[in-house]
Amino acid sequence: MNRLNIALVVGLVAVGIYLSTLSSESVGSMKASFMSLLSPFLRTGTAMQQNIGSFGQRLKTLDELDVENTRLKIENRVLRTENSLMRETQAENQRLRLALDFRARSSHKLVAARIISRDSSTWWSTIRINRGFEDGVEADQPVVTDGGLVGKTTTVSKNEAIVVLVTDESCRIGAKIEGTREQGIVTGLRIQENTSEGMLQMNFLSKNAEITSGMDVLTAGVAHGSFPPGILIGKVREFHRRALDGQAFVEPAMDLSIIEDVFVLVGKK
Amino acid sequence: MKTLIDLIALFAGVFLAFVVQHALPPMDDLQGARVVLVPLVFCYAAIVLPFPAMLAAAFYTGFFSDLFYLHIVGGAVEIPMGISIIYYVILGCLASRFRSGPETAKMWMFSVLSGAGTCTFLLLQFLMITWHRGGWEWAGAAAWRILAPGLMAALIAPLFHLVVSHIDNLIPDFSRMRRASRR
């Protein structure tokens, strides 16, 4: 290796070391720009994969489509009726709160989003959604479905956001077990043995807690946390007593590998 | 001129490798292991390209890898930027040693380097995450997710080498032609 080559290698290593010292804000904005640049290509790749995968499923007969359409129309009518009844209840609730001089409970604005691709890395559980800062999405906002908690947003670009799932170890959630006074931290497992199912662990529980399998685990809504209280995370599968504390293994509220649409809680109404 | 064409082809190849590996789902039968193609494409470039061009390729591939795998949660970066650049520089320095060897030996070394390079890259990611999060956790699934992509890369490599070197021979080498005409 001649001197010029050695100098080039040293120069590149120096650039690498310099880049490693950049702040998370700087690299976050670089990642967001990179996402915007790569997005059309990744979307095309994922769309092709989905089209190939769902080719057999899309071959439905007209009769099947007719039945499905009728079922969806009925469901739509039922939901509309329920919605109007709930609106009345909400208005009544508001009136009573005003009469009692209660502070209004915060309700969140939801932004519907579609999952455009699933995690492409070996070690992290993430998804990409088709909503970005143009739609009011910011980093560290909770992502939910009607079934429960999905995760929280991390890197947000113009029209896309990366969501770290609850099954990822880096997503930490302050949680409580319904029907008890137990609170702890829910995280995913570092190495998920079953990638499609996923499993969560809840640590720092009391050693003597009376926790049985099937109990609901909800977000605790701790101060300065990302998650509001009362969102279903999952159900307790097992509870272990350790030397100093208790640990519960929690099954996620829904199968995260099959969800297609989510909602981002973008702030208060 | 030929080196420039090779370098541009590598840039396009790495980009395509990212798109393809992103679209491919994990293999449930192999404990969720994924197909990783980028180290394979880079190893080919490192064996073919002259040293300074290999370094440019290492920078490009490493920078893209860093951005692609960047994971920021709660303001904390799990694997710092720049790590992949250093990794690809080291891998490229190793691979470029086999540049002048016979064609068959080159193909086998490319295969071995692609497999080992893919495994090492995934192991490096795992170790960085472990260092960042603290505590040592290991399971059979982790070994599968490190070794299976490497094995797949090693198996794909000979076919990749044959196809790409065949395409490479179709591109005219102007510098060689100029030397021949001077003689």
Side-chain angles (χ1 to χ4, degrees):
Chain A
M1 210 191 276
N2 62 34
R3 278 185 186 177
L4 176 70
N5 288 346
I6 293 170
L8 285 170
V9 169
V10 172
L12 264 188
V13 172
V15 170
I17 292 167
Y18 167 73
L19 285 171
S20 70
T21 59
L22 292 178
S23 67
S24 60
E25 289 82 19
S26 311
V27 291
S29 60
M30 276 162 84
K31 168 95 179 175
S33 311
F34 178 71
M35 272 167 66
S36 304
L37 181 84
L38 212 63
S39 169
F41 301 97
L42 295 184
R43 282 188 193 209
T44 311
T46 312
M48 276 167 69
Q49 181 216 341
Q50 282 169 351
N51 283 342
I52 294 164
S54 64
F55 182 71
Q57 290 168 7
R58 284 186 294 135
L59 293 174
K60 284 185 176 173
T61 62
L62 279 173
D63 288 341
E64 280 176 327
L65 284 173
D66 194 38
V67 169
E68 194 178 338
N69 192 27
T70 315
R71 185 180 61 77
L72 289 172
K73 274 182 180 166
I74 293 167
E75 198 178 310
N76 190 21
R77 277 207 295 272
V78 171
L79 288 172
R80 272 167 184 265
T81 317
E82 276 179 8
N83 204 10
S84 65
L85 286 170
M86 281 173 101
R87 225 175 286 138
E88 273 178 41
T89 316
Q90 193 187 12
E92 187 184 39
N93 186 20
Q94 197 64 33
R95 276 200 307 276
L96 291 169
R97 274 179 186 279
L98 278 172
L100 290 168
D101 202 20
F102 250 48
R103 209 170 55 160
R105 201 181 199 172
S106 63
S107 54
H108 288 79
K109 195 180 157 197
L110 300 174
V111 170
R114 191 161 186 81
I115 296 171
I116 48 174
S117 72
R118 290 179 193 280
D119 55 321
S120 58
S121 67
T122 306
W123 308 118
W124 299 285
S125 303
T126 54
I127 52 171
R128 274 167 195 259
I129 55 169
N130 66 342
R131 292 279 182 257
F133 58 75
E134 263 197 351
D135 308 286
V137 176
E138 288 169 21
D140 289 327
Q141 285 178 332
V143 179
V144 297
T145 66
D146 53 344
L149 189 66
V150 172
K152 66 174 177 179
T153 54
T154 55
T155 310
V156 182
S157 72
K158 196 178 167 193
N159 295 310
E160 267 183 33
I162 294 178
V163 176
V164 61
L165 301 177
V166 285
T167 49
D168 192 286
E169 197 192 13
S170 59
C171 185
R172 293 165 181 270
I173 309 155
K176 61 186 178 191
I177 295 181
E178 200 179 34
T180 68
R181 297 172 71 88
E182 289 300 317
Q183 294 206 356
I185 305 285
V186 169
T187 62
L189 302 177
R190 190 170 301 174
I191 307 158
Q192 293 281 359
E193 295 277 347
N194 187 343
T195 44
S196 59
E197 221 176 70
M199 185 56 69
L200 312 170
Q201 56 184 336
M202 187 171 182
N203 292 310
F204 311 116
L205 292 165
S206 162
K207 198 166 78 167
N208 304 316
E210 291 300 319
I211 296 168
T212 54
S213 59
M215 282 178 148
D216 282 343
V217 179
L218 309 168
T219 53
V222 289
H224 309 299
S226 304
F227 304 98
I231 303 174
L232 181 67
I233 301 170
K235 282 184 188 298
V236 174
R237 187 186 269 186
E238 286 170 41
F239 177 66
H240 300 286
R241 287 175 216 283
R242 299 191 292 197
L244 296 172
D245 66 348
Q247 183 192 38
F249 282 98
V250 180
E251 209 173 314
M254 77 215 98
D255 185 351
L256 297 168
S257 65
I258 57 164
I259 51 166
E260 287 181 359
D261 300 288
V262 293
F263 297 99
V264 187
L265 270 64
V266 293
K268 286 163 187 156
K269 259 183 188 171
Chain B
M1 183 67 181
K2 176 81 164 55
T3 304
L4 195 67
I5 294 170
D6 285 346
L7 201 59
I8 292 166
L10 164 89
F11 288 173
V14 166
F15 192 82
L16 197 67
F18 273 117
V19 174
V20 171
Q21 74 181 36
H22 180 83
L24 292 173
M27 290 163 289
D28 292 333
D29 292 339
L30 293 176
Q31 300 270 354
R34 304 192 72 99
V35 177
V36 180
L37 298 168
V38 176
L40 172 115
V41 177
F42 173 74
C43 279
Y44 182 81
I47 284 179
V48 170
L49 292 171
F51 198 83
M54 180 281 290
L55 289 181
F59 178 77
Y60 172 82
T61 314
F63 191 68
F64 252 48
S65 282
D66 279 331
L67 285 176
F68 195 79
Y69 293 112
L70 195 70
H71 186 72
I72 309 169
V73 178
V77 183
E78 291 228 300
I79 298 177
M81 287 277 294
I83 295 293
S84 302
I85 297 175
I86 296 169
Y87 171 76
Y88 280 111
V89 167
I90 294 167
L91 183 66
C93 287
L94 275 174
S96 63
R97 291 188 166 271
F98 304 101
R99 194 172 164 243
S100 53
E103 205 57 33
T104 324
K106 243 195 233 182
M107 190 175 80
W108 291 118
M109 276 324 296
F110 165 56
S111 185
V112 170
L113 276 171
S114 300
T118 306
C119 290
T120 315
F121 184 68
L122 291 168
L123 181 67
L124 184 72
Q125 280 189 336
F126 181 76
L127 292 176
M128 294 290 289
I129 292 168
T130 301
W131 181 65
H132 183 261
R133 295 182 190 175
W136 174 256
E137 282 179 35
W138 185 255
W144 272 103
R145 285 174 207 171
I146 291 168
L147 294 173
L151 189 67
M152 270 183 288
L155 290 174
I156 297 167
L159 183 71
F160 182 84
H161 187 276
L162 278 175
V163 173
V164 179
S165 56
H166 184 72
I167 296 167
D168 195 42
N169 287 336
L170 298 176
I171 302 168
D173 190 347
F174 296 108
S175 59
R176 202 187 297 155
M177 281 157 70
R178 219 176 293 133
R179 279 202 302 273
S181 67
R182 256 186 235 146
R183 255 183 257 139

